[in-house]
């Protein structure tokens, strides 16, 4: 329990320090997509990619967990029949 609390506090501290350091960088960068050219701050681009990475990680890990649970469920139903 204490380990989870310390991990959570450490994660929050790292995120706060990252956002504080990132907010000082106001340099503009150009992001070329297929159809659109965007001029964004470096911090905004980093946050966009961070959120996309977190969402992809959550989706993939939930699919993996769902796959493992359905395998267990299928083996239990085949053993009982």
């Amino acid at each position: 329990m204490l380990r989870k609390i310390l991990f959570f506090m450490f994660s929050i501290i790292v995120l706060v320090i990252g956002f504080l350091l990132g907010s000082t960088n106001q340099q503009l960068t150009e992001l070329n997509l297929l159809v659109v050219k965007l001029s964004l701050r470096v911090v905004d681009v980093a946050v966009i990619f961070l959120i996309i990475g977190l969402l992809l990680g959550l989706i993939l890990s939930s699919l993996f967990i769902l796959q493992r649970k359905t395998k267990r469920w299928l083996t239990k139903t085949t053993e009982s029949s």
Side-chain angles (χ1 to χ4, degrees):
M1 181 70 177
L2 180 63
R3 185 181 238 176
K4 289 182 181 181
I5 293 172
L6 288 175
F7 177 74
F8 181 72
M9 287 175 43
F10 178 74
S11 300
I12 295 296
I13 290 171
V14 167
L15 284 174
V16 168
I17 290 173
F19 281 117
L20 287 176
L21 292 175
S23 65
T24 60
N25 188 359
Q26 299 297 321
Q27 182 179 359
L28 289 176
T29 186
E30 197 170 285
L31 189 63
N32 294 321
L33 302 172
L34 289 175
V35 188
V36 181
K37 226 182 236 192
L38 297 174
S39 187
L40 297 171
R41 295 180 300 169
V42 174
V43 177
D44 297 334
V45 174
V47 168
I48 289 170
F49 286 122
L50 176 70
I51 291 172
I52 290 172
L54 285 173
L55 289 175
L56 284 174
L58 286 173
I59 290 170
L60 290 175
S61 64
S62 62
L63 287 174
F64 179 71
I65 290 170
L66 183 66
Q67 180 185 14
R68 288 182 63 200
K69 285 187 178 185
T70 54
K71 272 187 183 178
R72 279 193 218 141
W73 180 75
L74 287 174
T75 55
K76 283 181 184 177
T77 55
T78 55
E79 288 174 357
S80 61
S81 59

